[in-house]
Amino acid sequence: MQAPGKPATIATRGLEAGAAILQDKPPIEALNAYLDGFHFYSGNMKAQMEAHHYCAIVNEDVIQCVIYDGNVGDAKLMGVEYIVSGKLFQALPLAEQALWHSHVHEVKSGQLIAPGIPAVAEKALMQKLVGTYGKTWHIWHTDLHKQLPLGVPQLMMGFTQDGQADAAMVVARDARFKVQSLEKRRQRADIAAPAIDPGADAWQHGKLLQLQDPTGAAH
């Protein structure tokens, strides 16, 4: 998605280059894990998109990610995802749990990948993620051809079983990264799938949570 606006001038590029050299950016430098997966809008599974996660591991129970619509320099910042361990999730109030989604299917299906790292390291990361829960808000809806971040944030969810994710979307992603989700599924067959807390994935229980948008922006 191309945002409206004049191309950056030489002066702006110079300032950008200077800042890159001179300024420390500890929070940005902490984003050292890259995950690629898929989301859909809570209450509208037909609206699906690929999401590029750049994550920082805060501690053994909390991960925070910024989400882009691509993995190139001019990719648009779509949103954020917070990931917590099952232990922390279970301590949340039920009303709060309804905002979160499980990661079991994303991991076991092979749809969630960590591009560029050795297979052994990726599998170890997936073993850590399989029992976690994520709360995701998308702010800039470039999948809906929004040239600017219009309207209010939208709550996103993750897939929980086969046949939900658009097959062509997954195939296109796999081709781009030169991976095979089905092969990753086979490689992860021995990753134990923990029981999913019934408070998560509220959309499966008829709770189609979403923020109403007073601006009238179509989501």
Side-chain angles (χ1 to χ4, degrees):
M1 177 59 62
Q2 186 67 38
K6 297 179 181 178
T9 65
I10 293 176
T12 297
R13 293 298 186 195
L15 290 170
E16 182 181 44
I21 295 171
L22 298 173
Q23 290 185 312
D24 291 330
K25 307 174 186 67
I28 304 301
E29 292 162 0
L31 299 174
N32 52 25
Y34 173 34
L35 299 169
D36 184 87
F38 305 98
H39 293 154
F40 66 90
Y41 290 71
S42 179
N44 183 11
M45 187 179 285
K46 292 182 179 180
Q48 308 177 8
M49 76 290 301
E50 183 178 353
H52 301 260
H53 304 60
Y54 293 87
C55 305
I57 298 176
V58 177
N59 56 45
E60 286 301 309
D61 294 287
V62 179
I63 299 172
Q64 56 186 10
C65 307
V66 290
I67 303 173
Y68 289 84
D69 66 353
N71 58 1
V72 294
D74 63 349
K76 304 305 181 292
L77 177 58
M78 286 202 302
V80 296
E81 179 165 358
Y82 300 100
I83 299 172
V84 299
S85 65
K87 178 183 69 175
L88 291 186
F89 180 80
Q90 290 167 8
L92 297 175
L94 288 177
E96 173 65 29
Q97 288 183 352
L99 301 173
W100 299 68
H101 61 270
S102 62
H103 288 139
V104 171
H105 180 73
E106 292 186 56
V107 169
K108 295 287 287 181
S109 67
Q111 291 177 4
L112 184 65
I113 63 173
I117 64 174
V120 172
E122 184 187 54
K123 186 171 182 179
L125 178 58
M126 295 302 153
Q127 288 173 321
K128 179 179 179 65
L129 292 172
V130 70
T132 62
Y133 296 84
K135 180 164 72 170
T136 304
W137 294 97
H138 280 196
I139 302 165
W140 193 338
H141 311 292
T142 61
D143 59 296
L144 301 178
H145 308 293
K146 305 293 186 182
Q147 292 183 308
L148 290 172
L150 305 177
V152 300
Q154 295 289 288
L155 183 66
M156 312 304 291
M157 289 289 161
F159 300 112
T160 57
Q161 62 184 17
D162 293 340
Q164 293 175 342
D166 182 276
M169 175 180 67
V170 179
V171 168
R173 189 283 305 272
D174 285 0
R176 198 176 337 108
F177 283 104
K178 296 181 172 58
V179 301
Q180 293 185 351
S181 296
L182 291 179
E183 176 60 19
K184 291 189 179 293
R185 177 198 291 260
R186 186 191 66 77
Q187 295 170 354
R188 299 173 188 175
D190 60 346
I191 295 179
I196 298 173
D197 193 295
D201 306 311
W203 60 273
Q204 294 191 128
H205 311 297
K207 297 180 181 178
L208 306 180
L209 303 173
Q210 200 54 270
L211 294 180
Q212 296 302 310
D213 196 331
T215 72
H219 298 293

